[in-house]
Amino acid sequence: MEKETCCSGCNRPDLPWAGRGTQLPISGCRFTLYPMCDNFIDIILGSLKKTDTSAVWSETDALSTVYRGKLAYVADAVQALFLNAYRPGVHMALEGQFSKGCPGDVSGDSVLNREGDAPNAALVKDIHFPVHCKLALYPLGDADYIDEIAKVWYMAQDEGLDPKTIHYATRIDGDVQDVFAYLVRVCELMENAPNVHHYVLHFTMNCNSPTEEK
């Protein structure tokens, strides 16, 4: 019996998203920013004001924000929001997930006609600070998913991000620019993997953590 693909198996008529889905190249990231200080509202709103989101479709609700469009521009906007919110000495976390290929997706709510350089890249390229990051990759629809996960682990090792296997995730550490660049390369790898129909990359990144590690 031929193996059912993720797209057909996840879009059965009895499922609540039956009939949905898109063939458009829409990548997305849903995330929440947590500056852990008294003036967190000013930091979040100030960062939103500085960040150019003209290359993505965006929506914010009481729980999180989502950016949708081409991967390069989505990642650019997410990174810029985090970097623009950085304050020396302020503990801050960014929790989110990149995804593409969800069978419950829709063809709207995206910006796909943007070309050229990412709008925030030049503005934040010189912002550097160390971050901790944990990530969990879910390459859905691929029976050999563990090999895809191993690839990105070794990729982190090759890029000097000191990957460590922790319970339910992988831990990496490095400069914020390098960590974001790595997350984008993981997404690019999944988008070009022939047997991965849908992927989710869940991550949590923080800076200035007060936790002392041994």
Side-chain angles (χ1 to χ4, degrees), residues 33 75 78-86 92 94 124-133 159 161 172-185 203 205-208:
L33 181 67
V78 175
Q79 178 177 354
L81 188 74
F82 186 62
L83 270 62
N84 285 329
Y86 175 75
M92 182 172 65
L94 177 70
V124 300
K125 66 181 178 63
D126 294 324
I127 300 176
H128 296 273
F129 52 90
V131 295
H132 308 301
C133 180
E159 295 181 13
L161 295 173
I172 59 176
D173 299 275
D175 183 86
V176 65
Q177 300 279 352
D178 296 332
V179 170
F180 265 107
Y182 168 76
L183 294 179
V184 173
R185 282 190 282 273
F203 67 94
M205 188 182 306
N206 77 20
C207 60
N208 298 319

Side-chain angles (χ1 to χ4, degrees), residues 132 162 164 166 171 173 209-214:
H132 308 301
D162 191 25
K164 298 179 180 66
I166 60 176
R171 161 84 177 263
D173 299 275
S209 173
T211 301
E212 294 185 8
E213 296 182 318
K214 297 179 180 179

